[in-house]
Amino acid sequence: MNGKGEMTQAQAPRTEVGGGSGLDTGDYRSIWMYLKELEFHQGFIDVSVNGANVQTRYAEAGDPAKPHAILLHGTGGHWETFAPNLAALSEHFHCVAIDMVGNGFSDKPDYDYEIAVYVEHVLGVMDHFGMKSTSFVAMSLGAFVASAVSVGHPDRVDKVILMSPAGREASASNMARIRAERTKAVNEPTWESLHAVFAHLIADEANRLPDLIGLRQSIYRRADTRNTIDRLLILQDEKVRHRNLIPDDKWRGITAPVMIVASGKDHGVYQDTARTIADLIPNSEVFEMPSVRHWPHFEDPGSFNTAAVEFLTR
């Protein structure tokens, strides 16, 4: 899609369905197959960040009279990461999944995207939808942001699910990996370079759906993505990362109930963070998902959705 939400031609390799194609059509999956029976709305809203409007892409599902849930993706992501979860969650919650400022198909203003910027953006989305408080379902960068909201604005947080959590550690090797992968993918947005990004996000090749690679490729081919990639990756700078980290006493001060997903095949820094913050946050619990990597909710939505609904509705 372009910046106005209009469909553009997908940039993906041609695959013929049928004999000899190598495509398993017995259990065909795609983003749309997850959404095909869901009543939802995609649109764009203006949200004030740093004194100017940021056109923000979102997907909304569920009755607005129900308790609210905000869904937050990871670095360079977009709302479709939650396509396998929206149907299950929206039975119980008014769900809004967004492309955070500087990410996906939302506006990418020319300033660094540090955690305070993301927090301001998320609070603005909540205000737009009339959410006095909400639960968060958040992964990686999104988990960092949701945790920061929980620390700074506890009155606006009901419950939190953190997947592949970040915000406590600054691993030089992990930051270098992310910067190298994403910079290469933006400078050379080939199918192969984008596939390499997802190899670190999703353990099983069968779960690296072409839809995901095609969406990310279309984002990374955008001029605004190329022009602001350094702004997006600012949190991979060691000095900047350190000044954004949440100190241990702040983790201990989180009052909302928190479910932390422990992904058994994720990178070590995220596994370490998950275990450590589970010990720090007073009202927390760990949900073990040993066979998945960085996107547990996408790799095994059946297990995740059941646990998430049980926790959030408890």
Side-chain angles (χ1 to χ4, degrees), residues 11 184-196 213 217 220-221:
Q11 302 293 325
K184 177 179 174 59
V186 169
N187 290 336
E188 303 172 22
T190 64
W191 197 264
E192 291 73 23
S193 66
L194 271 298
H195 186 274
I213 299 173
Q217 185 180 52
Y220 283 12
R221 282 177 165 168

Side-chain angles (χ1 to χ4, degrees), residues 152-306:
H153 305 271
D155 58 318
R156 306 207 66 177
V157 180
D158 297 326
K159 292 186 177 183
V160 185
I161 296 177
L162 302 177
M163 301 174 283
S164 307
R168 186 182 176 275
E169 300 185 47
S171 165
S173 60
N174 194 55
M175 290 188 294
R177 175 188 64 80
I178 294 171
R179 181 176 288 278
E181 284 178 0
R182 305 307 168 88
T183 302
K184 177 179 174 59
V186 169
N187 290 336
E188 303 172 22
T190 64
W191 197 264
E192 291 73 23
S193 66
L194 271 298
H195 186 274
V197 170
F198 279 96
H200 288 280
L201 301 177
I202 296 174
D204 188 346
E205 170 66 31
N207 292 320
R208 300 169 195 156
L209 303 187
D211 279 3
L212 290 177
I213 299 173
L215 277 165
R216 192 65 65 97
Q217 185 180 52
S218 64
I219 292 167
Y220 283 12
R221 282 177 165 168
R222 291 170 60 107
D224 59 357
T225 302
R226 291 194 301 272
N227 293 340
T228 59
I229 186 62
D230 289 335
R231 303 295 201 185
L232 176 64
L233 296 175
I234 193 65
L235 289 172
Q236 311 312 320
D237 177 271
E238 187 171 5
K239 182 178 179 180
V240 175
R241 184 80 168 199
H242 274 286
R243 71 170 176 245
N244 281 272
L245 292 179
I246 300 171
D248 285 357
D249 64 314
K250 299 295 186 182
W251 288 107
R252 293 190 185 97
I254 292 177
T255 55
V258 178
M259 185 177 91
I260 299 161
V261 178
S263 300
K265 294 185 177 181
D266 205 356
H267 295 279
V269 62
Y270 301 106
Q271 295 196 48
D272 292 344
T273 298
R275 304 294 178 184
T276 302
I277 65 173
D279 290 336
L280 293 172
I281 299 172
N283 191 7
S284 67
E285 59 190 75
V286 176
F287 178 59
E288 302 282 352
M289 295 186 70
S291 300
V292 299
R293 193 162 286 164
H294 202 63
W295 283 26
H297 60 301
F298 197 94
E299 281 208 77
D300 186 0
S303 298
F304 174 82
N305 291 342
T306 299

Side-chain angles (χ1 to χ4, degrees), residues 15-25:
T15 304
E16 295 181 3
V17 179
S21 68
L23 179 65
D24 180 7
T25 58

Side-chain angles (χ1 to χ4, degrees), residues 2-252:
N2 62 19
K4 296 182 180 179
E6 297 167 344
M7 297 297 294
T8 56
Q9 185 176 4
Q11 302 293 325
R14 295 180 180 271
T15 304
E16 295 181 3
V17 179
S21 68
L23 179 65
D24 180 7
T25 58
D27 184 25
Y28 180 75
R29 287 175 298 153
S30 68
I31 297 298
W32 187 249
M33 293 298 284
Y34 285 122
L35 301 171
K36 64 184 183 296
E37 295 183 73
L38 176 65
E39 183 176 353
F40 76 103
H41 173 76
Q42 177 178 272
F44 288 81
I45 56 174
D46 285 333
V47 178
S48 179
V49 183
N50 266 358
N53 284 334
V54 170
Q55 189 180 59
T56 301
R57 179 174 177 257
Y58 73 94
E60 180 183 23
D63 185 348
K66 293 180 179 180
H68 306 294
I70 295 279
L71 287 61
L72 301 178
H73 59 76
T75 300
H78 39 88
W79 74 255
E80 283 88 352
T81 181
F82 296 106
N85 319 116
L86 277 173
L89 292 175
S90 64
E91 289 184 17
H92 307 274
F93 295 91
H94 170 228
C95 297
V96 175
I98 64 170
D99 292 5
M100 291 191 291
V101 56
N103 290 259
F105 297 93
S106 289
D107 279 351
K108 301 170 181 63
D110 191 21
Y111 49 71
D112 291 341
Y113 312 133
E114 297 193 41
I115 293 302
V117 171
Y118 290 119
V119 168
E120 183 181 0
H121 186 222
V122 169
L123 293 175
V125 170
M126 291 175 62
D127 291 342
H128 175 88
F129 285 100
M131 301 177 179
K132 292 182 178 179
S133 65
T134 188
S135 291
F136 285 95
V137 180
M139 57 160 297
S140 198
L141 171 63
F144 196 164
V145 175
S147 299
V149 175
S150 301
V151 167
H153 305 271
D155 58 318
R156 306 207 66 177
V157 180
D158 297 326
K159 292 186 177 183
V160 185
I161 296 177
L162 302 177
M163 301 174 283
S164 307
R168 186 182 176 275
E169 300 185 47
S171 165
S173 60
N174 194 55
M175 290 188 294
R177 175 188 64 80
I178 294 171
R179 181 176 288 278
E181 284 178 0
R182 305 307 168 88
T183 302
K184 177 179 174 59
V186 169
N187 290 336
E188 303 172 22
T190 64
W191 197 264
E192 291 73 23
S193 66
L194 271 298
H195 186 274
V197 170
F198 279 96
H200 288 280
L201 301 177
I202 296 174
D204 188 346
E205 170 66 31
N207 292 320
R208 300 169 195 156
L209 303 187
D211 279 3
L212 290 177
I213 299 173
L215 277 165
R216 192 65 65 97
Q217 185 180 52
S218 64
I219 292 167
Y220 283 12
R221 282 177 165 168
R222 291 170 60 107
D224 59 357
T225 302
R226 291 194 301 272
N227 293 340
T228 59
I229 186 62
D230 289 335
R231 303 295 201 185
L232 176 64
L233 296 175
I234 193 65
L235 289 172
Q236 311 312 320
D237 177 271
E238 187 171 5
K239 182 178 179 180
V240 175
R241 184 80 168 199
H242 274 286
R243 71 170 176 245
N244 281 272
L245 292 179
I246 300 171
D248 285 357
D249 64 314
K250 299 295 186 182
W251 288 107
R252 293 190 185 97

